[in-house]
Amino acid sequence: MEIKVLKNVLDKNMNQAEQNRQALMKHNVKMVNFISSPGAGKTTLLEKTIPTLQETMNVAVIEGDAFTSKDAERLQQFNIPIVQINTEGTCHLDSSSIESAFAELDLQELDIILTENVGNLICPTAFDLGEDFRIAVLSTTEGDDKPAKYPMLFRQARAVVLNKADLLPYIDFDNETFKKDLQDLNPNLQVFETSSTLGTGLWNWVEWLEVALEKEVKRV
Amino acid sequence: MHELTVIENVLQISGQVAKENNLSRIDVINLDVGGMQHLNEEIMQHGFEAAKKDTVAAGAELKLFWLPVRLRCNSCQQIFGTENGKFYCPVCGSKDTEVQQGMELNIKSIEGE
Ligand SMILES: Nc1nc2c(ncn2[C@@H]2O[C@H](COP(=O)(O)OP(=O)(O)OP(=O)(O)O)[C@@H](O)[C@H]2O)c(=O)[nH]1
Ligand SMILES: [Mg+2]
Ligand SMILES: [Zn+2]
C-alpha cells in the first residue's frame, strides 16, 4: 500500500521558525543570522560591529557553538545579554534552540538579536531560525569560487561580508570573478570588504546594517 | 552534515504517517530532494541505515529522487537549468530569477503494509 505524504521534511523547524518570527514581531525585535565557514571571522566581526550598534540600540547575541563557550566569553566585554547554545556537535542552529534562547532573553527590552551560527557553509542554510535576514561572511583565504559552489547561501543572504581583506595581497583571490559570480547569483546582494582585525571597511558595513535593520531606535 | 537531522525527521514523519494508517512496517520511503539542498546521497543512505534500526522502517529502503535546479526568468519567463553553473537567463541575460525547482525536501509517499 502506498500512502501519499507530500510533507516537507523540515516542517517542524519551519513551523517553529514562524513562531519565533511572530515573537520577534510582537516585541519589535530584529534578528540577523550570521553564516560562514569555521574561522571566517564572525566573532571578530561582531566584536567590531556591536560597539557602534550599541550606541543607539539594545543588542543581544545568540552564540551557536558546537562545543565551547569561547565566542560568548569574547563578547562579554560589551555587557549585553548573550545566550550560548551548545549544539553538541550538530552543524547548525535550529529554530527550537532559538526558542529556548528567547526564554533567557527579555525580548521586550531588545531592539536587535545578532545570531552567530555554527561555522559551516552548508547546513545552517537549510534551517530557518525566524530571522529577518541572513549575512554570509566569507574570508578571502577561502577562495573566490565559493559563490558558485554554495549558491543556496548566497542566494538567500541579504549581504556578504568579504572578511580578511588585509590578506588579499598575499593570496590568489580574483575579486572580479568573485563579485561577478555573486552578481549572477543574486543581483540585490550587498558586498562589503572588511578586515575585522585591522578595522578597515567596517564603517560602510555597520552603516548599511543599521539602515537594513530599519529600526525605530529606542534610546539606550 | 545536516543529512542526519534530515534523516531523523524523515523517520519521525514516516513513523507518524505509518501509525495513522495502521501500517505495521514501512518498505519504501520516497523522498524528493532538490539540487539546491547540498545533500549527499551516500551520507543520507549511511545515516538512514543506522537510524532506521528499531523503528517501523527497520526494513525500509530510502528512495531519493533528485530534482535538478530549474530557474524561471522574471523578465522573459524562460525556464532554464544551472548545470553550467550560471544562474542568469540564457535568453535575455536577466539575473532576476526565481527558483522553480531545486528547493524540495519532501516526503512524497511511503509504501508498506
Ligand atoms: N588577517 C585577518 N585575520 C582575521 C580577520 N578576522 C578574523 N581574523 C582571525 O581569524 C581567526 C578566526 O576568527 P573568528 O572571529 O574566531 O572566526 P569565526 O568565524 O567566529 O570562527 P568560528 O566561530 O569558530 O566558526 C582569528 O584568529 C581572528 O583573529 C581579518 O579580517 N583579517
Ligand atoms: Mg565564532
Ligand atoms: Zn530571460
Side-chain angles (χ1 to χ4, degrees), chain B residues 45-94:
Chain B
Q45 295 294 358
H46 268 293
F48 184 69
E49 287 309 310
K52 72 182 185 182
K53 291 198 182 96
D54 302 322
T55 74
V56 63
E61 177 193 356
L62 177 65
K63 280 193 191 157
L64 301 181
F65 297 85
W66 293 90
L67 304 174
V69 180
R70 288 276 168 280
L71 302 184
R72 199 190 56 240
C73 171
N74 283 332
S75 302
C76 77
Q77 313 307 320
Q78 174 77 20
I79 294 182
F80 61 98
T82 59
E83 290 79 7
N84 57 3
K86 307 265 186 285
F87 277 71
Y88 52 85
C89 177
V91 175
C92 75
S94 171

Side-chain angles (χ1 to χ4, degrees), chain A residues 42-43 71 116:
Chain A
K42 297 177 295 301
T43 309
D71 287 355
E116 176 175 343

